[in-house]
Amino acid sequence: MADPVFFLPASEPTLAEIVALTGARLAEGADGSRRISGVAPLDLATPSDITFIDSPRYLPLLAETRAAACIAGPKHVGSVPAGVVALESPRPHDAYVAVLRLMFPAALRPQVLFAPGISPAAHVHGDARLEPDVTVEPGAVVGAGAEIGSGSVIGPGAVIGPGVRIGRDCHVGAGTTVIHALVGNRVILHPGVRIGQDGFGYLMSGKGHAKVPQIGRVVIQDDVEVGAGTTIDRGANRDTVIGEGTKIDNQVQIGHNVQIGRHCVIVAQVGISGSATLGDFVVIGGQAGVNGHVVIGNGAQVAATASVKDDLAAGGRYGGAPARPIKEWYREELALRRLAQRAGAPPKDDEGREG
């Protein structure tokens, strides 16, 4: 039995069309009418595929590639082997992604698993309002007063709570729950996302911990993407807000009242505690932690596994625990390494000889 292929190309562009799309320069004498039917990494490419190189570490693979064409930067275009058409681009990976987007548009967002439209096996409350061209797949539940915009897809087993509003051209993945939330347009929530559940709020005392009512919402603005298994708690007394264009990886925890700016990138297993504020274009590396109530300025970058306990200035790069300017962190790590090496060295006598 043949292996299944999950993504087939929507088109087979010519090299000339790829040049027009990406602005790359085609090697002199190359046949611009040659068609490309696939994309692949250097070591797996076949004579019908296009590939790319943007790092010298992959030069050995470039020398052996069997690709039809290779997008390469000015430093590497001369290393493209004979028989492989070179396309020179100052940003090879960007050009390669443009080709991917052209050839495989279906991979840009999750697909409908069953037939379009409202499945008879879905449960849509009579008071819910759905615009035309909404898909609700089997087992999904849409609560009273919920509103869903045209072109949106609610995946199998997903739950849309009462009064929730979801914009147009959104995709809510299988098994995802969205409650107490307002969701903008073109938002993608991958399978298993949890939006709008209680924030972690308790009035602690020696007699026990009294639950604090969480009466805020989650507001997700346009063009946000949230990865599988991520949880975003609703606000306690204000909204939890995810800004326009922000991209959140899998298994991220975002606490109540958090304010995340526009076009941020938050990588897997990050934890952001309640009432933290991130400015626009902030990047948080994997497994980093952000304390509650801290403010991270616009454009700041936080390295993986860092621990942010204090406010961070805009535009800086930070790492370590606690997070501090990354050059300072590097210097401290180097000093500790040198100290450890000296401490582990054999003792020496008065003349500097090892004893």
Side-chain angles (χ1 to χ4, degrees), residues 26 30 40 47 60 67 70 111 113 118 123 125 184 187 209 250 312 320 325 338 342:
L26 190 64
C70 178
Q111 300 302 296
L113 300 184
I118 311 300
H123 302 272
H125 195 282
V187 170
H209 311 311
N250 301 333
L312 301 180
R338 288 172 175 168
R342 285 198 294 269

Side-chain angles (χ1 to χ4, degrees), residues 176 189-194 226-231 248-252:
T176 288
L189 306 177
H190 285 277
V193 166
R194 304 289 181 237
V226 181
T230 283
T231 55
I248 302 172
D249 199 356
N250 301 333
Q251 298 179 334
V252 170

Side-chain angles (χ1 to χ4, degrees), residues 62-141:
L62 176 62
E64 302 295 329
T65 191
R66 298 172 54 243
C70 178
I71 306 172
K75 291 182 179 179
H76 303 134
V77 70
S79 299
V80 175
V84 179
V85 177
L87 288 84
E88 183 178 343
S89 170
R91 300 179 66 88
H93 186 248
D94 291 10
Y96 182 74
V97 169
V99 176
L100 276 172
R101 291 174 63 91
L102 172 69
M103 296 181 65
F104 298 95
L108 291 172
R109 59 178 286 162
Q111 300 302 296
V112 174
L113 300 184
F114 292 85
I118 311 300
S119 169
H123 302 272
V124 179
H125 195 282
D127 291 338
R129 291 188 290 176
L130 278 59
E131 290 186 340
D133 193 33
V134 169
T135 291
V136 184
E137 300 204 70
V141 176

Side-chain angles (χ1 to χ4, degrees), residues 46-70:
T46 72
S48 61
D49 295 330
I50 190 168
T51 188
F52 80 103
I53 182 169
D54 65 352
S55 170
R57 68 183 296 180
Y58 299 114
L59 286 172
L61 295 179
L62 176 62
E64 302 295 329
T65 191
R66 298 172 54 243
C70 178

